Amino acid sequence: MRKIFITAACMAMFMASACNNEAKKQDSKVSDTTQQADATVPDSQNVNKVLSSYIALKNELVKSDAEAGKKAAAALEDELIEVKGCAEAASMAREIASAGSIEDQRKAFLTLSKDIIPLAKGIKTGQTTYVSYCPMANDGKGGYWLSEIKEIKNPYYGDAMLECGTVKEVIQ
């Protein structure tokens, strides 16, 4: 019983920090004391919703569709608000939704992906998800993203370098 409690406590601590990796500090309509107070602890159901919205955003960036990307980012923000500990990731999604260009959206997507990938790794969702990497993204520093397919469809460059990247990890 003690072992189960310790394992559960460790998972809760991991998940609470998963969405807060290196996200930019910004003024936010989402705060941990208001909407986040009613949010639920990450579980497979709400993480599945976040991943679906994240993948939809990624696919709009692949198509270089800034307007559809704004809508997908707004939907992702709504999903992230519902997950405890993901207020800063929600803020990044809001930044994408209000970005003036596809380039600004892609830049914010780099930071957002740094928050979403640990969340996806921490909860078993029953979906196969691929962690992909482009060495050219982020001014040559590289960038990761999640994909629902093994085939590389690069959200950081769209048609300019659609197949640039490799799958680095498979999350089951």
Side-chain angles (χ1 to χ4, degrees), residues 35-89:
Q35 290 169 306
Q36 283 286 301
D38 296 329
T40 58
V41 174
D43 63 29
S44 61
Q45 184 177 11
N46 59 20
V47 172
N48 267 332
K49 290 178 182 177
V50 165
L51 291 178
S52 292
S53 295
Y54 171 92
I55 295 294
L57 171 59
K58 185 263 312 176
N59 288 337
E60 297 306 337
L61 294 176
V62 167
K63 293 187 245 179
S64 299
D65 189 339
E67 286 305 311
K70 287 180 179 188
K71 291 176 186 171
L76 176 58
E77 178 188 5
D78 291 343
E79 296 300 336
L80 286 165
I81 288 170
E82 297 299 320
V83 181
K84 194 172 276 304
C86 291
E88 291 194 32

mmCIF file of all heavy atoms in Angstrom, residues 35-89:
data_model
loop_
_atom_site.group_PDB
_atom_site.id
_atom_site.type_symbol
_atom_site.label_atom_id
_atom_site.label_comp_id
_atom_site.label_asym_id
_atom_site.label_seq_id
_atom_site.Cartn_x
_atom_site.Cartn_y
_atom_site.Cartn_z
ATOM 1 N N GLN A 35 -9.231 29.990 -12.838
ATOM 2 C CA GLN A 35 -9.681 28.872 -13.664
ATOM 3 C C GLN A 35 -8.914 27.589 -13.367
ATOM 4 O O GLN A 35 -9.482 26.513 -13.389
ATOM 5 C CB GLN A 35 -9.566 29.233 -15.142
ATOM 6 C CG GLN A 35 -10.570 30.287 -15.557
ATOM 7 C CD GLN A 35 -10.276 30.815 -16.938
ATOM 8 O OE1 GLN A 35 -9.182 31.252 -17.213
ATOM 9 N NE2 GLN A 35 -11.274 30.778 -17.793
ATOM 10 N N GLN A 36 -7.640 27.702 -13.104
ATOM 11 C CA GLN A 36 -6.855 26.504 -12.826
ATOM 12 C C GLN A 36 -7.258 25.842 -11.514
ATOM 13 O O GLN A 36 -7.054 24.662 -11.338
ATOM 14 C CB GLN A 36 -5.352 26.825 -12.810
ATOM 15 C CG GLN A 36 -4.769 26.976 -14.189
ATOM 16 C CD GLN A 36 -4.608 25.660 -14.896
ATOM 17 O OE1 GLN A 36 -3.918 24.772 -14.411
ATOM 18 N NE2 GLN A 36 -5.263 25.507 -16.024
ATOM 19 N N ALA A 37 -7.851 26.588 -10.586
ATOM 20 C CA ALA A 37 -8.291 26.006 -9.321
ATOM 21 C C ALA A 37 -9.365 24.950 -9.567
ATOM 22 O O ALA A 37 -9.491 23.995 -8.800
ATOM 23 C CB ALA A 37 -8.822 27.087 -8.393
ATOM 24 N N ASP A 38 -10.137 25.112 -10.617
ATOM 25 C CA ASP A 38 -11.186 24.156 -10.947
ATOM 26 C C ASP A 38 -10.711 23.080 -11.920
ATOM 27 O O ASP A 38 -11.472 22.192 -12.271
ATOM 28 C CB ASP A 38 -12.375 24.891 -11.570
ATOM 29 C CG ASP A 38 -13.016 25.859 -10.599
ATOM 30 O OD1 ASP A 38 -12.983 25.589 -9.381
ATOM 31 O OD2 ASP A 38 -13.538 26.896 -11.055
ATOM 32 N N ALA A 39 -9.474 23.169 -12.382
ATOM 33 C CA ALA A 39 -8.951 22.205 -13.344
ATOM 34 C C ALA A 39 -8.732 20.855 -12.680
ATOM 35 O O ALA A 39 -8.575 20.756 -11.462
ATOM 36 C CB ALA A 39 -7.638 22.717 -13.933
ATOM 37 N N THR A 40 -8.705 19.828 -13.505
ATOM 38 C CA THR A 40 -8.498 18.491 -12.977
ATOM 39 C C THR A 40 -7.050 18.062 -13.144
ATOM 40 O O THR A 40 -6.334 18.564 -14.006
ATOM 41 C CB THR A 40 -9.401 17.471 -13.705
ATOM 42 O OG1 THR A 40 -9.119 17.518 -15.100
ATOM 43 C CG2 THR A 40 -10.871 17.782 -13.473
ATOM 44 N N VAL A 41 -6.645 17.139 -12.291
ATOM 45 C CA VAL A 41 -5.299 16.579 -12.375
ATOM 46 C C VAL A 41 -5.200 15.839 -13.705
ATOM 47 O O VAL A 41 -6.174 15.228 -14.158
ATOM 48 C CB VAL A 41 -5.056 15.617 -11.188
ATOM 49 C CG1 VAL A 41 -3.728 14.905 -11.308
ATOM 50 C CG2 VAL A 41 -5.130 16.384 -9.878
ATOM 51 N N PRO A 42 -4.041 15.896 -14.371
ATOM 52 C CA PRO A 42 -3.908 15.220 -15.664
ATOM 53 C C PRO A 42 -4.261 13.735 -15.575
ATOM 54 O O PRO A 42 -3.797 13.033 -14.675
ATOM 55 C CB PRO A 42 -2.428 15.402 -16.010
ATOM 56 C CG PRO A 42 -1.989 16.584 -15.231
ATOM 57 C CD PRO A 42 -2.804 16.570 -13.977
ATOM 58 N N ASP A 43 -5.105 13.287 -16.475
ATOM 59 C CA ASP A 43 -5.430 11.872 -16.605
ATOM 60 C C ASP A 43 -5.535 11.555 -18.096
ATOM 61 O O ASP A 43 -5.421 12.446 -18.927
ATOM 62 C CB ASP A 43 -6.711 11.524 -15.844
ATOM 63 C CG ASP A 43 -7.953 12.240 -16.358
ATOM 64 O OD1 ASP A 43 -8.025 12.569 -17.565
ATOM 65 O OD2 ASP A 43 -8.870 12.476 -15.566
ATOM 66 N N SER A 44 -5.742 10.296 -18.422
ATOM 67 C CA SER A 44 -5.713 9.916 -19.838
ATOM 68 C C SER A 44 -6.794 10.619 -20.644
ATOM 69 O O SER A 44 -6.581 10.964 -21.800
ATOM 70 C CB SER A 44 -5.823 8.404 -19.999
ATOM 71 O OG SER A 44 -7.044 7.927 -19.475
ATOM 72 N N GLN A 45 -7.948 10.903 -20.041
ATOM 73 C CA GLN A 45 -9.031 11.545 -20.784
ATOM 74 C C GLN A 45 -8.684 12.986 -21.144
ATOM 75 O O GLN A 45 -8.768 13.377 -22.310
ATOM 76 C CB GLN A 45 -10.320 11.502 -19.985
ATOM 77 C CG GLN A 45 -11.499 12.068 -20.754
ATOM 78 C CD GLN A 45 -12.798 11.959 -19.978
ATOM 79 O OE1 GLN A 45 -12.807 11.644 -18.801
ATOM 80 N NE2 GLN A 45 -13.891 12.242 -20.656
ATOM 81 N N ASN A 46 -8.276 13.799 -20.160
ATOM 82 C CA ASN A 46 -8.008 15.191 -20.506
ATOM 83 C C ASN A 46 -6.700 15.345 -21.272
ATOM 84 O O ASN A 46 -6.563 16.242 -22.098
ATOM 85 C CB ASN A 46 -8.102 16.137 -19.306
ATOM 86 C CG ASN A 46 -7.163 15.814 -18.174
ATOM 87 O OD1 ASN A 46 -6.171 15.120 -18.346
ATOM 88 N ND2 ASN A 46 -7.482 16.323 -16.990
ATOM 89 N N VAL A 47 -5.741 14.454 -21.072
ATOM 90 C CA VAL A 47 -4.506 14.505 -21.857
ATOM 91 C C VAL A 47 -4.795 14.114 -23.310
ATOM 92 O O VAL A 47 -4.235 14.704 -24.235
ATOM 93 C CB VAL A 47 -3.393 13.634 -21.232
ATOM 94 C CG1 VAL A 47 -2.185 13.537 -22.147
ATOM 95 C CG2 VAL A 47 -2.976 14.221 -19.878
ATOM 96 N N ASN A 48 -5.687 13.154 -23.534
ATOM 97 C CA ASN A 48 -6.091 12.807 -24.902
ATOM 98 C C ASN A 48 -6.691 14.017 -25.616
ATOM 99 O O ASN A 48 -6.413 14.265 -26.793
ATOM 100 C CB ASN A 48 -7.103 11.660 -24.906
ATOM 101 C CG ASN A 48 -6.460 10.317 -25.063
ATOM 102 O OD1 ASN A 48 -5.396 10.182 -25.648
ATOM 103 N ND2 ASN A 48 -7.109 9.292 -24.527
ATOM 104 N N LYS A 49 -7.517 14.789 -24.904
ATOM 105 C CA LYS A 49 -8.117 15.986 -25.501
ATOM 106 C C LYS A 49 -7.044 17.011 -25.853
ATOM 107 O O LYS A 49 -7.072 17.611 -26.926
ATOM 108 C CB LYS A 49 -9.141 16.598 -24.552
ATOM 109 C CG LYS A 49 -10.397 15.769 -24.391
ATOM 110 C CD LYS A 49 -11.339 16.426 -23.403
ATOM 111 C CE LYS A 49 -12.578 15.599 -23.173
ATOM 112 N NZ LYS A 49 -13.455 16.222 -22.160
ATOM 113 N N VAL A 50 -6.098 17.206 -24.931
ATOM 114 C CA VAL A 50 -5.001 18.146 -25.183
ATOM 115 C C VAL A 50 -4.209 17.692 -26.403
ATOM 116 O O VAL A 50 -3.896 18.500 -27.292
ATOM 117 C CB VAL A 50 -4.085 18.291 -23.946
ATOM 118 C CG1 VAL A 50 -2.772 18.966 -24.297
ATOM 119 C CG2 VAL A 50 -4.800 19.050 -22.839
ATOM 120 N N LEU A 51 -3.865 16.403 -26.453
ATOM 121 C CA LEU A 51 -3.075 15.895 -27.578
ATOM 122 C C LEU A 51 -3.818 16.040 -28.897
ATOM 123 O O LEU A 51 -3.213 16.399 -29.909
ATOM 124 C CB LEU A 51 -2.663 14.443 -27.347
ATOM 125 C CG LEU A 51 -1.636 14.223 -26.237
ATOM 126 C CD1 LEU A 51 -1.343 12.738 -26.075
ATOM 127 C CD2 LEU A 51 -0.364 14.994 -26.500
ATOM 128 N N SER A 52 -5.112 15.786 -28.909
ATOM 129 C CA SER A 52 -5.895 15.948 -30.141
ATOM 130 C C SER A 52 -5.870 17.395 -30.614
ATOM 131 O O SER A 52 -5.688 17.665 -31.807
ATOM 132 C CB SER A 52 -7.345 15.503 -29.913
ATOM 133 O OG SER A 52 -7.398 14.120 -29.702
ATOM 134 N N SER A 53 -6.031 18.334 -29.687
ATOM 135 C CA SER A 53 -5.997 19.745 -30.050
ATOM 136 C C SER A 53 -4.599 20.174 -30.483
ATOM 137 O O SER A 53 -4.438 20.961 -31.422
ATOM 138 C CB SER A 53 -6.476 20.607 -28.875
ATOM 139 O OG SER A 53 -7.830 20.347 -28.603
ATOM 140 N N TYR A 54 -3.573 19.654 -29.809
ATOM 141 C CA TYR A 54 -2.184 19.960 -30.168
ATOM 142 C C TYR A 54 -1.884 19.458 -31.584
ATOM 143 O O TYR A 54 -1.295 20.172 -32.392
ATOM 144 C CB TYR A 54 -1.239 19.319 -29.155
ATOM 145 C CG TYR A 54 0.222 19.394 -29.544
ATOM 146 C CD1 TYR A 54 1.016 20.463 -29.127
ATOM 147 C CD2 TYR A 54 0.818 18.407 -30.323
ATOM 148 C CE1 TYR A 54 2.364 20.539 -29.474
ATOM 149 C CE2 TYR A 54 2.155 18.479 -30.683
ATOM 150 C CZ TYR A 54 2.918 19.543 -30.257
ATOM 151 O OH TYR A 54 4.246 19.610 -30.615
ATOM 152 N N ILE A 55 -2.311 18.227 -31.889
ATOM 153 C CA ILE A 55 -2.085 17.641 -33.220
ATOM 154 C C ILE A 55 -2.817 18.466 -34.291
ATOM 155 O O ILE A 55 -2.283 18.706 -35.372
ATOM 156 C CB ILE A 55 -2.528 16.157 -33.263
ATOM 157 C CG1 ILE A 55 -1.657 15.309 -32.333
ATOM 158 C CG2 ILE A 55 -2.546 15.619 -34.683
ATOM 159 C CD1 ILE A 55 -0.208 15.184 -32.699
ATOM 160 N N ALA A 56 -4.024 18.914 -33.979
ATOM 161 C CA ALA A 56 -4.757 19.758 -34.935
ATOM 162 C C ALA A 56 -3.980 21.041 -35.214
ATOM 163 O O ALA A 56 -3.859 21.460 -36.371
ATOM 164 C CB ALA A 56 -6.150 20.077 -34.391
ATOM 165 N N LEU A 57 -3.427 21.654 -34.185
ATOM 166 C CA LEU A 57 -2.602 22.854 -34.364
ATOM 167 C C LEU A 57 -1.370 22.532 -35.186
ATOM 168 O O LEU A 57 -1.037 23.254 -36.132
ATOM 169 C CB LEU A 57 -2.200 23.428 -32.999
ATOM 170 C CG LEU A 57 -1.168 24.564 -33.030
ATOM 171 C CD1 LEU A 57 -1.669 25.745 -33.851
ATOM 172 C CD2 LEU A 57 -0.827 24.979 -31.602
ATOM 173 N N LYS A 58 -0.696 21.449 -34.849
ATOM 174 C CA LYS A 58 0.501 21.040 -35.597
ATOM 175 C C LYS A 58 0.176 20.866 -37.076
ATOM 176 O O LYS A 58 0.914 21.338 -37.948
ATOM 177 C CB LYS A 58 1.064 19.731 -35.011
ATOM 178 C CG LYS A 58 2.369 19.245 -35.619
ATOM 179 C CD LYS A 58 2.281 18.192 -36.698
ATOM 180 C CE LYS A 58 1.402 17.012 -36.414
ATOM 181 N NZ LYS A 58 1.330 16.095 -37.584
ATOM 182 N N ASN A 59 -0.951 20.242 -37.376
ATOM 183 C CA ASN A 59 -1.327 20.003 -38.772
ATOM 184 C C ASN A 59 -1.615 21.308 -39.512
ATOM 185 O O ASN A 59 -1.320 21.417 -40.708
ATOM 186 C CB ASN A 59 -2.517 19.047 -38.841
ATOM 187 C CG ASN A 59 -2.125 17.630 -38.479
ATOM 188 O OD1 ASN A 59 -0.952 17.238 -38.578
ATOM 189 N ND2 ASN A 59 -3.083 16.846 -38.020
ATOM 190 N N GLU A 60 -2.179 22.308 -38.840
ATOM 191 C CA GLU A 60 -2.407 23.607 -39.479
ATOM 192 C C GLU A 60 -1.077 24.313 -39.747
ATOM 193 O O GLU A 60 -0.919 24.976 -40.769
ATOM 194 C CB GLU A 60 -3.329 24.489 -38.635
ATOM 195 C CG GLU A 60 -4.725 23.926 -38.442
ATOM 196 C CD GLU A 60 -5.449 23.568 -39.724
ATOM 197 O OE1 GLU A 60 -5.134 24.104 -40.807
ATOM 198 O OE2 GLU A 60 -6.373 22.726 -39.647
ATOM 199 N N LEU A 61 -0.107 24.157 -38.848
ATOM 200 C CA LEU A 61 1.216 24.740 -39.077
ATOM 201 C C LEU A 61 1.922 24.045 -40.241
ATOM 202 O O LEU A 61 2.626 24.691 -41.010
ATOM 203 C CB LEU A 61 2.061 24.674 -37.805
ATOM 204 C CG LEU A 61 1.561 25.522 -36.635
ATOM 205 C CD1 LEU A 61 2.431 25.301 -35.405
ATOM 206 C CD2 LEU A 61 1.497 26.990 -37.001
ATOM 207 N N VAL A 62 1.723 22.746 -40.370
ATOM 208 C CA VAL A 62 2.284 22.006 -41.514
ATOM 209 C C VAL A 62 1.733 22.582 -42.820
ATOM 210 O O VAL A 62 2.468 22.777 -43.779
ATOM 211 C CB VAL A 62 1.970 20.490 -41.413
ATOM 212 C CG1 VAL A 62 2.256 19.771 -42.731
ATOM 213 C CG2 VAL A 62 2.770 19.852 -40.282
ATOM 214 N N LYS A 63 0.443 22.913 -42.830
ATOM 215 C CA LYS A 63 -0.204 23.473 -44.024
ATOM 216 C C LYS A 63 0.089 24.957 -44.208
ATOM 217 O O LYS A 63 -0.340 25.546 -45.198
ATOM 218 C CB LYS A 63 -1.726 23.283 -43.936
ATOM 219 C CG LYS A 63 -2.184 21.852 -44.000
ATOM 220 C CD LYS A 63 -3.688 21.825 -44.074
ATOM 221 C CE LYS A 63 -4.259 21.197 -42.844
ATOM 222 N NZ LYS A 63 -5.723 21.154 -42.819
ATOM 223 N N SER A 64 0.783 25.557 -43.236
ATOM 224 C CA SER A 64 1.079 26.996 -43.254
ATOM 225 C C SER A 64 -0.186 27.840 -43.290
ATOM 226 O O SER A 64 -0.224 28.906 -43.890
ATOM 227 C CB SER A 64 1.992 27.355 -44.438
ATOM 228 O OG SER A 64 3.217 26.671 -44.325
ATOM 229 N N ASP A 65 -1.228 27.387 -42.610
ATOM 230 C CA ASP A 65 -2.502 28.089 -42.555
ATOM 231 C C ASP A 65 -2.601 28.838 -41.224
ATOM 232 O O ASP A 65 -3.038 28.281 -40.217
ATOM 233 C CB ASP A 65 -3.654 27.091 -42.716
ATOM 234 C CG ASP A 65 -5.001 27.765 -42.876
ATOM 235 O OD1 ASP A 65 -5.151 28.943 -42.488
ATOM 236 O OD2 ASP A 65 -5.924 27.094 -43.387
ATOM 237 N N ALA A 66 -2.190 30.098 -41.231
ATOM 238 C CA ALA A 66 -2.138 30.894 -40.001
ATOM 239 C C ALA A 66 -3.521 31.096 -39.383
ATOM 240 O O ALA A 66 -3.661 31.035 -38.156
ATOM 241 C CB ALA A 66 -1.475 32.245 -40.271
ATOM 242 N N GLU A 67 -4.531 31.339 -40.194
ATOM 243 C CA GLU A 67 -5.880 31.574 -39.654
ATOM 244 C C GLU A 67 -6.434 30.308 -38.995
ATOM 245 O O GLU A 67 -7.000 30.374 -37.905
ATOM 246 C CB GLU A 67 -6.828 32.084 -40.740
ATOM 247 C CG GLU A 67 -6.572 33.528 -41.126
ATOM 248 C CD GLU A 67 -6.607 34.481 -39.929
ATOM 249 O OE1 GLU A 67 -7.559 34.447 -39.119
ATOM 250 O OE2 GLU A 67 -5.660 35.283 -39.800
ATOM 251 N N ALA A 68 -6.297 29.167 -39.656
ATOM 252 C CA ALA A 68 -6.753 27.912 -39.057
ATOM 253 C C ALA A 68 -5.898 27.582 -37.834
ATOM 254 O O ALA A 68 -6.397 27.008 -36.858
ATOM 255 C CB ALA A 68 -6.693 26.783 -40.078
ATOM 256 N N GLY A 69 -4.624 27.951 -37.872
ATOM 257 C CA GLY A 69 -3.743 27.758 -36.722
ATOM 258 C C GLY A 69 -4.221 28.547 -35.518
ATOM 259 O O GLY A 69 -4.145 28.064 -34.380
ATOM 260 N N LYS A 70 -4.716 29.759 -35.748
ATOM 261 C CA LYS A 70 -5.251 30.568 -34.649
ATOM 262 C C LYS A 70 -6.436 29.869 -33.987
ATOM 263 O O LYS A 70 -6.538 29.826 -32.763
ATOM 264 C CB LYS A 70 -5.680 31.942 -35.165
ATOM 265 C CG LYS A 70 -4.525 32.856 -35.505
ATOM 266 C CD LYS A 70 -5.021 34.196 -36.002
ATOM 267 C CE LYS A 70 -3.848 35.117 -36.307
ATOM 268 N NZ LYS A 70 -4.283 36.481 -36.601
ATOM 269 N N LYS A 71 -7.327 29.335 -34.796
ATOM 270 C CA LYS A 71 -8.505 28.640 -34.262
ATOM 271 C C LYS A 71 -8.098 27.376 -33.505
ATOM 272 O O LYS A 71 -8.619 27.092 -32.425
ATOM 273 C CB LYS A 71 -9.467 28.286 -35.396
ATOM 274 C CG LYS A 71 -10.130 29.501 -36.011
ATOM 275 C CD LYS A 71 -10.995 29.133 -37.183
ATOM 276 C CE LYS A 71 -11.534 30.390 -37.857
ATOM 277 N NZ LYS A 71 -12.198 30.107 -39.112
ATOM 278 N N ALA A 72 -7.157 26.620 -34.064
ATOM 279 C CA ALA A 72 -6.692 25.398 -33.404
ATOM 280 C C ALA A 72 -5.985 25.730 -32.095
ATOM 281 O O ALA A 72 -6.149 25.015 -31.090
ATOM 282 C CB ALA A 72 -5.766 24.613 -34.336
ATOM 283 N N ALA A 73 -5.230 26.804 -32.064
ATOM 284 C CA ALA A 73 -4.525 27.211 -30.840
ATOM 285 C C ALA A 73 -5.517 27.645 -29.766
ATOM 286 O O ALA A 73 -5.325 27.349 -28.583
ATOM 287 C CB ALA A 73 -3.535 28.321 -31.154
ATOM 288 N N ALA A 74 -6.574 28.334 -30.167
ATOM 289 C CA ALA A 74 -7.600 28.741 -29.205
ATOM 290 C C ALA A 74 -8.285 27.516 -28.599
ATOM 291 O O ALA A 74 -8.542 27.471 -27.392
ATOM 292 C CB ALA A 74 -8.624 29.661 -29.872
ATOM 293 N N ALA A 75 -8.562 26.517 -29.427
ATOM 294 C CA ALA A 75 -9.159 25.274 -28.920
ATOM 295 C C ALA A 75 -8.192 24.564 -27.966
ATOM 296 O O ALA A 75 -8.603 24.052 -26.917
ATOM 297 C CB ALA A 75 -9.532 24.353 -30.081
ATOM 298 N N LEU A 76 -6.908 24.546 -28.309
ATOM 299 C CA LEU A 76 -5.902 23.936 -27.438
ATOM 300 C C LEU A 76 -5.825 24.684 -26.111
ATOM 301 O O LEU A 76 -5.733 24.059 -25.049
ATOM 302 C CB LEU A 76 -4.535 23.918 -28.122
ATOM 303 C CG LEU A 76 -3.369 23.385 -27.287
ATOM 304 C CD1 LEU A 76 -3.637 21.967 -26.810
ATOM 305 C CD2 LEU A 76 -2.084 23.465 -28.105
ATOM 306 N N GLU A 77 -5.884 26.004 -26.150
ATOM 307 C CA GLU A 77 -5.862 26.777 -24.908
ATOM 308 C C GLU A 77 -7.015 26.348 -23.998
ATOM 309 O O GLU A 77 -6.827 26.135 -22.794
ATOM 310 C CB GLU A 77 -5.963 28.267 -25.208
ATOM 311 C CG GLU A 77 -5.997 29.114 -23.946
ATOM 312 C CD GLU A 77 -6.300 30.578 -24.201
ATOM 313 O OE1 GLU A 77 -6.591 30.969 -25.341
ATOM 314 O OE2 GLU A 77 -6.237 31.337 -23.210
ATOM 315 N N ASP A 78 -8.208 26.199 -24.567
ATOM 316 C CA ASP A 78 -9.371 25.774 -23.781
ATOM 317 C C ASP A 78 -9.137 24.411 -23.123
ATOM 318 O O ASP A 78 -9.521 24.196 -21.976
ATOM 319 C CB ASP A 78 -10.626 25.721 -24.656
ATOM 320 C CG ASP A 78 -11.102 27.103 -25.089
ATOM 321 O OD1 ASP A 78 -10.682 28.113 -24.471
ATOM 322 O OD2 ASP A 78 -11.882 27.164 -26.060
ATOM 323 N N GLU A 79 -8.510 23.496 -23.847
ATOM 324 C CA GLU A 79 -8.218 22.167 -23.289
ATOM 325 C C GLU A 79 -7.169 22.258 -22.192
ATOM 326 O O GLU A 79 -7.281 21.596 -21.157
ATOM 327 C CB GLU A 79 -7.757 21.210 -24.392
ATOM 328 C CG GLU A 79 -8.790 20.900 -25.446
ATOM 329 C CD GLU A 79 -10.056 20.251 -24.918
ATOM 330 O OE1 GLU A 79 -10.019 19.616 -23.847
ATOM 331 O OE2 GLU A 79 -11.110 20.405 -25.580
ATOM 332 N N LEU A 80 -6.141 23.065 -22.400
ATOM 333 C CA LEU A 80 -5.061 23.189 -21.417
ATOM 334 C C LEU A 80 -5.531 23.848 -20.127
ATOM 335 O O LEU A 80 -5.047 23.506 -19.041
ATOM 336 C CB LEU A 80 -3.888 23.973 -22.014
ATOM 337 C CG LEU A 80 -3.058 23.202 -23.033
ATOM 338 C CD1 LEU A 80 -2.164 24.148 -23.821
ATOM 339 C CD2 LEU A 80 -2.237 22.117 -22.356
ATOM 340 N N ILE A 81 -6.474 24.767 -20.223
ATOM 341 C CA ILE A 81 -7.025 25.417 -19.028
ATOM 342 C C ILE A 81 -7.646 24.375 -18.104
ATOM 343 O O ILE A 81 -7.621 24.518 -16.886
ATOM 344 C CB ILE A 81 -8.051 26.503 -19.422
ATOM 345 C CG1 ILE A 81 -7.328 27.698 -20.030
ATOM 346 C CG2 ILE A 81 -8.897 26.937 -18.232
ATOM 347 C CD1 ILE A 81 -8.246 28.714 -20.675
ATOM 348 N N GLU A 82 -8.177 23.308 -18.684
ATOM 349 C CA GLU A 82 -8.853 22.280 -17.907
ATOM 350 C C GLU A 82 -7.902 21.299 -17.220
ATOM 351 O O GLU A 82 -8.336 20.427 -16.481
ATOM 352 C CB GLU A 82 -9.820 21.490 -18.808
ATOM 353 C CG GLU A 82 -10.936 22.345 -19.383
ATOM 354 C CD GLU A 82 -11.818 22.967 -18.316
ATOM 355 O OE1 GLU A 82 -12.131 22.278 -17.318
ATOM 356 O OE2 GLU A 82 -12.185 24.146 -18.467
ATOM 357 N N VAL A 83 -6.592 21.430 -17.466
ATOM 358 C CA VAL A 83 -5.615 20.508 -16.888
ATOM 359 C C VAL A 83 -4.779 21.256 -15.853
ATOM 360 O O VAL A 83 -4.111 22.238 -16.181
ATOM 361 C CB VAL A 83 -4.702 19.899 -17.982
ATOM 362 C CG1 VAL A 83 -3.704 18.936 -17.368
ATOM 363 C CG2 VAL A 83 -5.537 19.201 -19.045
ATOM 364 N N LYS A 84 -4.831 20.792 -14.632
ATOM 365 C CA LYS A 84 -4.095 21.427 -13.536
ATOM 366 C C LYS A 84 -2.605 21.448 -13.844
ATOM 367 O O LYS A 84 -2.029 20.472 -14.281
ATOM 368 C CB LYS A 84 -4.349 20.672 -12.229
ATOM 369 C CG LYS A 84 -3.911 21.440 -10.995
ATOM 370 C CD LYS A 84 -4.355 20.772 -9.727
ATOM 371 C CE LYS A 84 -5.736 21.063 -9.286
ATOM 372 N NZ LYS A 84 -6.181 22.390 -9.070
ATOM 373 N N GLY A 85 -1.988 22.600 -13.657
ATOM 374 C CA GLY A 85 -0.552 22.752 -13.870
ATOM 375 C C GLY A 85 -0.170 23.179 -15.282
ATOM 376 O O GLY A 85 1.005 23.326 -15.578
ATOM 377 N N CYS A 86 -1.146 23.395 -16.150
ATOM 378 C CA CYS A 86 -0.844 23.727 -17.544
ATOM 379 C C CYS A 86 -1.200 25.166 -17.913
ATOM 380 O O CYS A 86 -1.401 25.484 -19.085
ATOM 381 C CB CYS A 86 -1.561 22.743 -18.475
ATOM 382 S SG CYS A 86 -0.898 21.075 -18.382
ATOM 383 N N ALA A 87 -1.237 26.044 -16.933
ATOM 384 C CA ALA A 87 -1.599 27.441 -17.195
ATOM 385 C C ALA A 87 -0.605 28.114 -18.136
ATOM 386 O O ALA A 87 -0.997 28.873 -19.020
ATOM 387 C CB ALA A 87 -1.692 28.222 -15.880
ATOM 388 N N GLU A 88 0.677 27.843 -17.972
ATOM 389 C CA GLU A 88 1.667 28.492 -18.838
ATOM 390 C C GLU A 88 1.624 27.931 -20.252
ATOM 391 O O GLU A 88 1.837 28.667 -21.213
ATOM 392 C CB GLU A 88 3.053 28.388 -18.226
ATOM 393 C CG GLU A 88 3.135 29.245 -16.967
ATOM 394 C CD GLU A 88 4.532 29.469 -16.473
ATOM 395 O OE1 GLU A 88 5.446 29.522 -17.306
ATOM 396 O OE2 GLU A 88 4.680 29.595 -15.268
ATOM 397 N N ALA A 89 1.336 26.649 -20.392
ATOM 398 C CA ALA A 89 1.165 26.081 -21.735
ATOM 399 C C ALA A 89 -0.069 26.704 -22.395
ATOM 400 O O ALA A 89 -0.058 27.001 -23.590
ATOM 401 C CB ALA A 89 1.042 24.561 -21.666
#
